[in-house]
Amino acid sequence: MHTIPPKPQTALRILHTSDWHIGKRLFNHSRYDEFEAFLDWLHIAIDTHDINALIVAGDIFDTVTPSNKAQELYYEFLAKVAKSCCQHVIITAGNHDSPTFLDAPKVILKTLNVWVIGQATTDINDEILLLKDKSQDGLDIVRAIILAVPYLRDKDVRTGGSFEMTGQRDHETAQGIAKHYQNLSSHALILQDEYQANPNQPPIPIIATGHLFCAGANISSDDDGMRKESFVGTLGQLPASIFADEINYVALGHIHAPQKVAGQDRIRYCGSPIAMGFGEIGKDKQVLIVDFDPTTANIPHIHTLSVPIFTKMVRLQGDTDTIRHALNPLIAENQTIYAEIVYDGQTLEPNFAKDIKAFLANTKVLPLNIQNNTQRRHILQSTYHGENLKQLTTMDVFDRLLDRQVVTDEEKNELKTAYQHIIQTIYEQDVKAE
C-alpha cells in the first residue's frame, strides 16, 4: 500500500480520477451500492489528503441517459465536496456522457466552484480555467491554468467536408484534435506570461485534461466495458506529442488501466476506480494525487492512492466438484461476492447452470455469469456457433460475419474500418438526439 506524504505547505494538490461509469451494470446486475461506496471513500480521501482541486476526466456516467439514482449519487457527491477542503472541481465529459446533460446545470454548479465542460465550443476561453486563491494580503493569485478538454467528437474538430476514404477522415480528425490542444496551449502560455509579470505571483503550472486513446496505451481487459469498435487498427489513437512540453501534467481518461503514456510521468491515465468486468480481477484500481510545488518549479510529484475493493469478484473454472469445493469457503464469508463460473468437466452436465443457482440460493455469492464450455463444445457446428451473443461486441459480431464471406484480408480491413465509422456515427447521432 502506498503512503501519501503530507502536502508541502506551498503546494497545490490535485486528485485525478476518471471513468466512474455510474450506473453501469455487470451482467444486468445493478452496482449502485459500489458506486456509492466509492464516492463516499473519495469524499473522505479528499479531506484526508488535503486536496485543493479534483479533476474528473470523463465518463462520469455509463450512458447518455443516466438513471435518477445515478444522478442522485453524482449530485450528492458534489454537494459534499463543496463543503470540504477541496476548493475547485473540474469535470469534463467522456464519450459515454451526454455533453448537453452535463452542461445543463453548469451555471448553478459554478457557484460551488464546480466547473463542468460537457462539449467543445468555438470560444477557446470556455475550456481554459484559472484556479485562483487569495494570497495572505487578500489579492488573487493564480494557482494553475487548466485546459479542460472534454471528449472531442469528429464534428467538434474536423473542418473538412465528407471524404470518400475513411483514412482521410481519420487523419483530418486527428489533425483537428492536435490543433485543438495546440491552440489551447498557446493561449495558456500567453496567460501564464501575463500573470507571471506580477512579482508576487508564484510559478503557475499548466494542467490539461483529455478523454482519448493515446497510441501505445493498454486496455485493462477484454471485458472492461470499453467500446472495442473504437480501437480497430490505429483509428482514434493519438500520439503523446499533441501535448505541448510546456504542459506540466495531463490528466487522461478513457483507458481503464492506470499507466503512463509514452513513458512520460507527466501524462497519465488513472484508470477506472472499480473493476468493470471479471477480467479486471486482481488489478489495482487507483486515483492519482499530484502535487505542484512552486518552490520546485512545479515539477509534478505524483502519488498513487489505491481504491479499496467494495465488492469481491471471483472467477471459478473446473468440473462440478472443483467448483463446489471452491464455492464453499466463499459462501462462509457471508458477504456479497460476484462470481463468474465456467464449467469444463468431462461430462455434459446440461443442467449445470440450474444446479449451481440452486446451490447458491439463499447465499450472498451471486453467480452473475455461468458458462458451460463442455456443452458448448459438444454442440458446436461451426467455428463460432454456440457463442453467447451478450458477450460479443458489435465489432465481434461483424468479425464473425466477415469470416464467413469470401473476401481478401485487405477488403476485410477496409470493411471493418467502414463499419466502425458507421457504429461511431450512430452513437454520436444518439448523443445529439437525446
Side-chain angles (χ1 to χ4, degrees), residues 127-194:
E127 292 175 39
I128 295 184
L129 309 178
L130 299 178
L131 301 192
K132 294 182 178 181
D133 287 338
K134 294 290 184 183
S135 64
Q136 290 182 348
D137 56 7
L139 299 176
D140 280 343
I141 61 169
V142 178
R143 299 300 307 275
I145 298 173
I146 309 290
L147 313 185
V149 184
Y151 174 70
L152 297 173
R153 292 177 169 81
D154 178 82
K155 65 180 179 62
D156 296 326
V157 296
R158 187 165 60 83
T159 57
S162 59
F163 299 109
E164 294 183 5
M165 299 296 293
T166 54
Q168 188 178 357
R169 170 180 168 173
D170 299 341
H171 179 69
E172 180 83 10
T173 300
Q175 281 191 324
I177 293 174
K179 185 176 181 181
H180 191 87
Y181 276 98
Q182 181 182 2
N183 290 340
L184 287 172
S185 299
S186 298
H187 193 57
L189 288 170
I190 293 172
L191 289 174
Q192 187 184 53
D193 287 342
E194 288 178 358

Side-chain angles (χ1 to χ4, degrees), residues 269-288:
Y269 287 103
C270 58
S272 59
I274 67 173
M276 296 295 163
F278 287 98
E280 292 193 280
I281 292 173
K283 297 186 177 182
D284 186 39
K285 291 298 181 181
Q286 60 186 230
V287 297
L288 298 173

